Amino acid sequence: EAGVAQSPRYKIIEKRQSVAFWCNPISGHATLYWYQQILGQGPKLLIQFQNNGVVDDSQLPKDRFSAERLKGVDSTLKIQPAKLEDSAVYLCASSFWGAGADTQYFGPGTRLTVL
Amino acid sequence: ILNVEQSPQSLHVQEGDSTNFTCSFPSSNFYALHWYRWETAKSPEALFVMTLNGDEKKKGRISATLNTKEGYSYLYIKGSQPEDSATYLCAFMTNTGNQFYFGTGTSLTVIP
């Protein structure tokens, strides 16, 4: 079974530029998550989708971050414009139903550096 | 935002040593506790999901216990090997929402 795919793996941009990340979850998984992990901290949930609807985006900085999951499969996360504090690893994960005891399967992440 | 704490922050052990780490979480509104292993440049890998007080799970040389009444979980590694070197993350979910609250992780280095 193929795992969660993410691209790119690494990205370096200057502040005020835009960047987009892509995620392809495990086939059949209804729930997709985007996390931000800043160095020295645990991953923080940015947004959770159930199929193509948003379940939770309470910690997504909506003035600069946006995410979509068209057709309930792939997802993109965009930052526009980027700030220095956005430097982090962005992890995508998927799970079958999204229930609390469901295992979340993670992609390898995208390491973003904002200069 | 709930506070999930892991200790120690980092750990260096010799190959063959046994070790353990702690994950502390709020004891109220407990729903599930997950453990993940995250090796450098790889995807975080799920180790255990625990939901019941007193749960004990085992996978090879790694095991975990859960105490929901006092709000902690222990992860044990018996006879550490260099390939166990990774960051071990716990994640707590409440019964009042769908969100995971991750700890900051314990970084384990096993010295050959």
Side-chain angles (χ1 to χ4, degrees), chain A residues 74-97:
Chain A
D74 292 6
S75 177
T76 56
L77 176 70
K78 296 179 183 176
I79 308 175
Q80 180 179 7
K83 293 185 175 181
L84 297 177
E85 59 260 36
D86 298 331
S87 294
V89 175
Y90 291 84
L91 290 164
C92 178
S94 70
S95 66
F96 191 68
W97 281 120

Side-chain angles (χ1 to χ4, degrees), chain A residues 9-10 35 37 40-43 45 48 55-56 58-59 89 91 98-104 106-108, chain B residues 1 9 31-34 36 38 41-46 49 51 89 93 98-105:
Chain A
R9 292 293 307 273
Y10 305 92
Y35 290 91
Q37 199 230 0
Q41 300 179 19
L45 181 71
Q48 178 182 343
V55 173
D56 186 343
S58 57
Q59 296 194 86
V89 175
L91 290 164
D102 249 5
T103 295
Q104 292 190 17
F106 284 84
Chain B
I1 297 179
Q9 190 172 6
Y31 187 85
L33 193 285
H34 296 239
Y36 289 87
W38 193 0
K42 293 188 178 180
S43 306
E45 172 198 356
V49 180
T51 56
L89 288 164
M93 178 171 277
N98 291 315
Q99 191 169 136
F100 267 25
Y101 296 94
F102 276 90
T104 53

Side-chain angles (χ1 to χ4, degrees), chain B residues 11-27:
Chain B
L11 196 55
H12 290 73
V13 301
Q14 291 293 133
E15 182 176 352
D17 287 352
S18 293
T19 187
N20 65 86
F21 334 125
T22 304
C23 172
S24 301
F25 50 86
S27 57

